[in-house]
Amino acid sequence: MKFQLNPLTSDIFISIYVVSTLYFRFKFEDNGNVDPILSVVLGLSFVTIIWALIKLKILNPNWFGLFDSKKARP
């Protein structure tokens, strides 16, 4: 059995993840002299983690009901 989160839980998890990683990046960049390339790499790393979890079907986002999943997938 594969571990999956339902759509609402996935949406909440992704929202918390995005807010916390943005907070972490702002605090990290504010505390020191950070190279812009390092900032971009850090941001891409955080996005890649979420992308991988969605591709592995662990997260099943519904985007808070903004898109009709039946119309999006033929």
Side-chain angles (χ1 to χ4, degrees), residues 50-70:
I50 283 292
W51 176 80
L53 290 174
I54 291 172
K55 281 297 189 184
L56 291 172
K57 302 286 185 191
I58 294 173
L59 295 176
N60 301 302
N62 189 20
W63 312 114
F64 294 104
L66 293 176
F67 302 108
D68 188 11
S69 61
K70 294 176 185 174

Side-chain angles (χ1 to χ4, degrees), residues 4-73:
Q4 293 182 347
L5 294 176
N6 65 18
L8 181 61
T9 306
S10 295
D11 290 341
I12 293 170
F13 178 82
I14 290 171
S15 298
I16 292 171
Y17 179 82
V18 166
V19 169
S20 62
T21 56
L22 281 175
Y23 175 77
F24 171 73
R25 284 183 64 197
F26 289 145
K27 289 300 262 184
F28 176 69
E29 292 172 7
D30 189 39
N31 288 339
N33 191 8
V34 179
D35 188 34
I37 302 253
L38 178 62
S39 176
V40 170
V41 168
L42 190 61
L44 286 175
S45 300
F46 287 141
V47 169
T48 303
I49 291 169
I50 283 292
W51 176 80
L53 290 174
I54 291 172
K55 281 297 189 184
L56 291 172
K57 302 286 185 191
I58 294 173
L59 295 176
N60 301 302
N62 189 20
W63 312 114
F64 294 104
L66 293 176
F67 302 108
D68 188 11
S69 61
K70 294 176 185 174
K71 290 181 182 178
R73 298 182 191 252

